[in-house]
């Protein structure tokens, strides 16, 4: 290789060796391996004695579980974050949450751009896959916006939380707590330093700021970009319309259902006044989009409420966001397809736009793979763990949806159970379709088609 070629290769995001690695693998495979590397490094750092407080220890399996939970912005924990981890360990978690939330490729790309590096077409394909973007056009511009939006939103959340907490703690501690919780909540990670947020169930200021951060994180950066550009463009993309409308619908539905189901439950919200009950209901509903930040004891909720939350967690957040699940757009397409079939319509449409059959097939594929993963994991844990079925289903769905709500099962899991949850969290963060594409061999176009067959349904 000549000197000019060598320099050209080093002008990109990766050096020549990494370029050969990228060219030999699909974007999905690069994403999966990159996340695996991020988790492995995080686990090794959390395993170090410096990461835990004096007199405490953390097994490597628990360190791996915690690193996975942070990198996939889930929030399921096997150790109290505020008490078990030292300042160094908490900062490691913070970096993992940030990298996992906006994406390690986003962070790498931004730093490459900051140093004047060029982004190759292959790298643009990987970025496109990480955000579920439709094309590579404008992807680098979106990355700049993602990084800028994240910093601005997290900085605003940090200041608001810090000012609010300065009345209860020293200014420096309040600022650090504000930073940690702003990053955790915006990235829908669900980690907290208080050992639970039940004391803030009636705190209107905290709940309002947290719900705004959760919504901004779960809506996705594509939607955020559309909303910020709306005053000038006066239009929203079909994607943003679907995300905003269905997310709003699910949020209101969740708040109303939780309020009704838990209104008289003395173990959860029954002792609260009506205003606090309403606030708590809508806060948990907002968190169901993939945050897992809870102001009530999830274990004390009625079984009907927990099962309803399972459905909502399975749906998850929006594509290109910090959340998991099958994604709200997948749910919207499935709902539109069912409605079209009931009405006898040939086309599936949303907001006067026809949805291609490829997208409908992809939505069906994602949903089926997700159901298979959650169902298989639930059966496996029921075989080896002595826990109620609904609690196990709740935990596996929470892991897949990267929600982080817990029915009290995670901390009692054995080695096998924790491994199952680890795999579910990774699958939920990357998406079942991405995992499937990473595992499959190279596609080849079929040179023939079978004759059409008839099967009776219903």
């Amino acid at each position: 290789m000549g000197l000019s070629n060598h320099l050209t290769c080093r002008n990109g995001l990766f050096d020549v060796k990494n370029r050969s690695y990228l060219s030999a693998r699909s974007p999905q495979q690069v994403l999966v391996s990159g996340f695996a590397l991020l988790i492995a490094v995080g686990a090794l750092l959390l395993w170090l004695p410096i990461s835990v407080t004096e007199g405490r220890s953390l097994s490597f399996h628990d360190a791996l579980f915690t690193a996975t939970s942070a990198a996939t912005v889930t929030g399921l924990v096997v150790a109290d974050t505020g008490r078990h981890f030292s300042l160094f360990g908490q900062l490691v978690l913070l970096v993992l949450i940030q990298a996992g939330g906006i994406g390690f490729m986003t962070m790498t790309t931004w730093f490459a751009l900051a140093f004047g590096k060029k982004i190759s077409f292959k790298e643009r394909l990987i970025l496109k896959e990480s955000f579920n973007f439709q094309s590579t056009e404008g992807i680098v511009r979106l990355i700049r916006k993602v990084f800028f939006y994240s910093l601005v939103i997290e900085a605003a959340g940090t200041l608001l939380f810090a000012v609010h907490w300065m009345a209860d703690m020293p200014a420096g501690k309040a600022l650090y707590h504000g930073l940690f919780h702003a990053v955790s909540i915006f990235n829908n990670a669900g980690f907290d330093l208080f050992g639970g947020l039940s004391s803030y169930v009636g705190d209107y200021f905290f709940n309002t700021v947290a719900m705004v951060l959760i919504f901004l994180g779960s809506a996705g950066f594509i939607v955020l970009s559309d909303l910020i550009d709306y005053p000038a463009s006066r239009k929203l993309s079909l994607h943003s319309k679907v995300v905003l409308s269905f997310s709003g619908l699910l949020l209101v539905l969740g708040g109303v259902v939780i309020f009704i189901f838990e209104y008289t439950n003395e173990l959860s919200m029954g002792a609260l006044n009506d205003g606090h009950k309403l606030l708590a209901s809508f806060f948990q509903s907002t968190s169901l989009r993939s945050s897992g930040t809870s102001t009530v004891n999830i274990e004390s909720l009625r079984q009907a409420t927990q099962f309803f939350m399972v459905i909502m967690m399975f749906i998850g957040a929006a594509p290109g966001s910090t959340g998991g699940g099958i994604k709200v757009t997948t749910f919207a397409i499935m709902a539109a397809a069912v409605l079209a079939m009931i009405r006898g319509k040939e086309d599936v449409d949303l907001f006067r736009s026809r949805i291609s059959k490829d997208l409908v097939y992809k939505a069906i594929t994602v949903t089926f793979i997700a159901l298979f993963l959650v169902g298989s994991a639930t059966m496996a844990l029921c075989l080896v763990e002595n826990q109620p079925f609904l609690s196990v289903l709740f935990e596996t769905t929470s892991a897949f949806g990267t929600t982080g709500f817990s029915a009290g099962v995670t901390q009692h899991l054995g080695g096998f159970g924790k491994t199952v949850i680890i795999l579910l969290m990774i699958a939920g963060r990357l998406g079942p379709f991405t995992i499937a594409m990473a595992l499959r061999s190279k596609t080849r176009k079929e040179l023939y088609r079978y004759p059409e067959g008839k099967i009776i349904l219903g």
Side-chain angles (χ1 to χ4, degrees), residues 435-453:
I435 299 291
M437 293 298 101
L439 294 176
R440 76 173 184 179
S441 57
K442 291 184 178 180
T443 58
R444 57 181 181 181
K445 188 174 181 180
E446 297 288 352
L447 301 178
Y448 57 89
R449 295 178 69 187
Y450 290 110
E452 185 177 291

Side-chain angles (χ1 to χ4, degrees), residues 76 298-299 306 387 390-392 394-395 405-410:
L76 289 173
I298 300 300
E299 296 179 59
Q306 291 183 355
Q387 298 288 341
L390 182 58
S391 297
V392 173
F394 190 97
E395 218 78 1
F405 280 135
S406 177
V409 172
T410 294

Side-chain angles (χ1 to χ4, degrees), residues 124-135:
R124 291 170 192 261
L125 287 176
I126 300 171
L127 291 168
K128 165 183 169 291
E129 182 65 29
S130 67
F131 280 95
N132 290 311
F133 213 48
Q134 294 180 343
S135 69

Side-chain angles (χ1 to χ4, degrees), residues 12-157:
L13 177 58
F14 300 96
D15 60 22
V16 64
K17 292 182 179 179
N18 286 330
R19 282 292 175 83
S20 62
Y21 174 85
L22 290 179
S23 61
R25 287 162 177 80
S26 68
Q28 295 88 353
Q29 290 172 331
V30 174
L31 280 178
V32 173
S33 59
F35 247 95
L37 179 62
L38 176 66
I39 291 170
V41 173
L44 289 173
L45 291 175
L46 292 176
W47 192 35
L48 297 175
I50 192 176
S51 293
V52 295
T53 54
E54 187 176 354
R56 299 179 186 270
S57 62
L58 194 71
S59 68
F60 181 75
H61 204 172
D62 285 347
L64 178 63
F65 186 98
T66 306
T68 304
S69 184
T72 59
V73 289
T74 302
L76 289 173
V77 295
V78 291
D80 188 294
T81 306
R83 297 179 180 178
H84 201 94
F85 292 98
S86 64
L87 177 62
F88 177 81
Q90 292 172 12
L91 291 176
V92 170
L93 288 174
L94 206 61
V95 172
L96 288 173
I97 291 169
Q98 186 70 82
I102 66 174
F104 70 94
M105 279 299 300
T106 302
M107 294 187 68
T108 306
T109 303
W110 189 89
F111 283 113
L113 292 171
F115 285 100
K117 305 294 184 181
K118 294 181 180 179
I119 310 301
S120 71
F121 180 71
K122 182 71 174 183
E123 291 152 4
R124 291 170 192 261
L125 287 176
I126 300 171
L127 291 168
K128 165 183 169 291
E129 182 65 29
S130 67
F131 280 95
N132 290 311
F133 213 48
Q134 294 180 343
S135 69
T136 57
E137 183 180 356
I139 190 66
V140 174
R141 184 166 61 252
L142 177 64
I143 295 304
R144 295 180 190 271
K145 290 182 178 180
V146 166
F147 207 83
F148 177 73
Y149 296 162
S150 298
L151 291 181
V152 170
I153 293 171
E154 290 171 355

Side-chain angles (χ1 to χ4, degrees), residues 369-382:
I369 294 175
L371 286 171
F372 175 79
L373 289 174
V374 173
S376 299
T378 302
M379 285 191 289
L381 291 184
C382 284

Side-chain angles (χ1 to χ4, degrees), residues 28 34 60 111 132 194 228 234 254 268 310 350 366 368 375 435:
Q28 295 88 353
F60 181 75
F111 283 113
N132 290 311
F194 297 111
I228 292 173
R234 309 303 298 179
S268 60
V310 165
L350 285 166
V366 167
F368 180 80
I435 299 291

